[in-house]
Amino acid sequence: MEKSSRLYEDRIKNAGKTPVEKASWSSVASLAGFTACLVAAGAFCISSGQVAVGIGLIVFGIVPCLAIIAMANNVVTQFMDGTRGAFFPQASAESFGPEAEKAFAIANKALSKPELAVAEANRKTESAATKAWFDDVRTSFDEVSITSEDGLRLVGHLLESNPRSANWLIYAHGFGGGWKNGLGIARHFAERGYNLLFIDMRAQGDSGGTVIGGGHLERRDLVQWCRWLAERSDEGSGIVLMGSSLGGAAALEAAGEKDLPQQVKAVVSDSAFADFWNEAIHAMGTLGANGKALPAHPLLDVVRLILRSRKGGYDIAEPSAVAAIAHAQAPVLIIHGADDQLVAPYNAVRLDEAATAAGIDHELLQVPSAGHCCAAMADPELYYGTIFGFIDRH
């Protein structure tokens, strides 16, 4: 549905705009200091003969700290481990069926009834066409694999739908998704003469690993996939690297890597977060645990500390698409739903501003009446028209 008023344009530009926070260890230091002071005070009371008061102070100091550590461990397990995901925007592993319908409803809960009716009608049309296409080509997909730089087996699904074409699409899905999550996109690209490589991100689907990397670990995986495809393709081949949500952030980080092969002609990012740390803060305050919002600090800071010490872990303050886009080695198209409640549209504005400041060849498309990763269903003509127009110009 068309929304053209200045008020609406200002609203979507600043939707979800919050102060951008830089990570620090101050909350962890405060928690440790609080605990140490109460334990020390308790010990002094006990040594002075006030045993009951001393024990009470020690318990009051230790129990909250232990509770926060336990909660943080639970968060690390649930939203960083690829076997379970409860804290971040969850993609459907499929493009159609009950799971996809549920994900669509959650992603578009902010839409009005008329807006939702339009998006739902488009979704049904797209899903029916995609299912019919996939039924025809399902058995033609080949499973391929590479080994990541840290030794994981990464799995992809390849379809040479147009063997005479030198054009390829590499697609990366989001949290909780899988390669089939992007089948609607696959169909449109196949119909435009592209061959397809749809991957299972690390710690998801059939790929190895137990830690989802916030787009930062995945950036190197995507560079490897691009290099693998470039090496097995003709010298004049052209690769489009595209991702949604987590996959979009990973694609942007990959775009900033110096060894991204020159065959990558364009990078398309849909519904990506600008940086993982601030998205984690947003997710903790909105999605929380089992739908219950949680204060970000000091919980998220303890999560950061635990994950840094975990085998295969990393610093969750490091993943930053907004930093990487300033070094993009290929033109970038940034797409975001204007009514995205899961990854606020202001993330796209931050990415756009960073690319503009760095002089990067890029475009920004904000799609009205579209929730998280649902721009293609809110307005398929605008969505795919913009993507292919952008690619054709580059």
Side-chain angles (χ1 to χ4, degrees):
M1 296 184 68
E2 184 176 358
K3 297 181 180 179
S4 58
S5 72
R6 179 62 181 273
L7 180 62
Y8 181 76
E9 291 173 1
D10 288 344
R11 183 176 73 80
I12 65 172
K13 179 179 180 180
N14 297 294
K17 186 172 183 178
T18 56
V20 176
E21 179 182 304
K22 186 176 181 179
S24 75
W25 296 110
S26 59
S27 293
V28 172
S30 296
L31 177 63
F34 170 79
T35 302
C37 286
L38 286 180
V39 169
F44 176 79
C45 288
I46 291 173
S47 66
S48 301
Q50 302 179 54
V51 177
V53 174
I55 292 175
L57 287 172
I58 291 173
V59 169
F60 187 69
I62 292 177
V63 170
C65 184
L66 293 178
I68 290 171
I69 293 173
M71 290 175 67
N73 265 311
N74 185 52
V75 170
V76 169
T77 299
Q78 290 194 46
F79 84 3
M80 299 311 301
D81 191 311
T83 60
R84 291 187 286 174
F87 288 79
F88 273 78
Q90 296 295 296
S92 167
E94 303 286 344
S95 289
F96 34 78
E99 185 180 344
E101 292 173 6
K102 180 180 178 181
F104 174 82
I106 293 173
N108 290 286
K109 61 183 180 181
L111 300 188
S112 66
K113 287 184 178 180
E115 290 171 329
L116 187 60
V118 171
E120 177 63 23
N122 289 334
R123 185 194 67 80
K124 288 181 178 179
T125 300
E126 288 286 308
S127 294
T130 298
K131 186 176 186 304
W133 171 80
F134 187 57
D135 287 342
D136 287 339
V137 302
R138 180 191 299 266
T139 58
S140 299
F141 274 94
D142 293 323
E143 183 175 292
V144 295
S145 66
I146 61 173
T147 301
S148 71
E149 293 175 346
D150 54 350
L152 300 177
R153 180 176 181 266
L154 304 176
V155 175
H157 303 268
L158 184 146
L159 176 66
E160 292 194 66
S161 48
N162 297 277
R164 295 183 180 180
S165 172
N167 294 324
W168 284 86
L169 169 68
I170 298 179
Y171 178 79
H173 61 81
F175 277 102
W179 72 278
K180 292 180 184 177
N181 174 255
L183 288 179
I185 292 169
R187 175 176 65 85
H188 281 273
F189 271 83
E191 290 173 352
R192 289 286 298 229
Y194 281 76
N195 299 303
L196 311 170
L197 175 57
F198 278 52
I199 66 172
D200 279 328
M201 300 281 269
R202 64 167 53 215
Q204 302 190 70
D206 293 326
S207 288
T210 58
V211 176
I212 296 174
H216 194 58
L217 302 182
E218 291 84 354
R219 83 194 192 285
R220 295 303 309 165
D221 300 341
L222 292 186
V223 170
Q224 279 192 267
W225 277 117
C226 290
R227 296 184 69 84
W228 177 85
L229 188 58
E231 289 169 3
R232 73 184 300 276
S233 304
D234 294 335
E235 192 171 308
S237 63
I239 299 172
V240 175
L241 176 59
M242 181 174 181
S244 299
S245 195
L246 168 71
L252 291 175
E253 287 215 42
E257 296 293 290
K258 292 182 179 179
D259 58 343
L260 187 75
Q262 63 181 6
Q263 286 91 340
V264 177
K265 305 301 183 184
V267 175
V268 181
S269 171
D270 184 346
S271 305
F273 42 82
D275 73 88
F276 192 56
W277 178 254
N278 281 281
E279 175 58 23
I281 293 172
H282 172 74
M284 198 71 74
T286 53
L287 301 178
N290 301 316
K292 296 180 180 179
L294 296 170
H297 303 295
L299 180 58
L300 197 58
D301 306 276
V302 178
V303 168
R304 180 188 176 199
L305 187 64
I306 292 172
L307 194 60
R308 278 167 58 102
S309 63
R310 183 174 177 175
K311 182 179 179 181
Y314 63 101
D315 187 341
I316 59 175
E318 286 185 357
S320 179
V322 75
I325 200 171
H327 306 283
Q329 305 295 304
V332 175
L333 174 60
I334 305 161
I335 302 174
H336 216 102
D339 289 282
D340 191 336
Q341 301 294 300
L342 302 178
V343 177
Y346 184 59
N347 283 272
V349 175
R350 288 182 62 199
L351 292 167
D352 175 53
E353 290 175 346
T356 299
I360 299 300
D361 185 356
H362 77 288
E363 292 180 18
L364 169 65
L365 172 66
Q366 289 183 300
V367 180
S369 306
H372 188 61
C373 293
C374 290
M377 288 168 276
D379 194 333
E381 184 176 347
L382 174 63
Y383 185 83
Y384 290 107
T386 300
I387 289 175
F388 291 120
F390 180 81
I391 295 171
D392 290 345
R393 289 191 294 277
H394 295 87

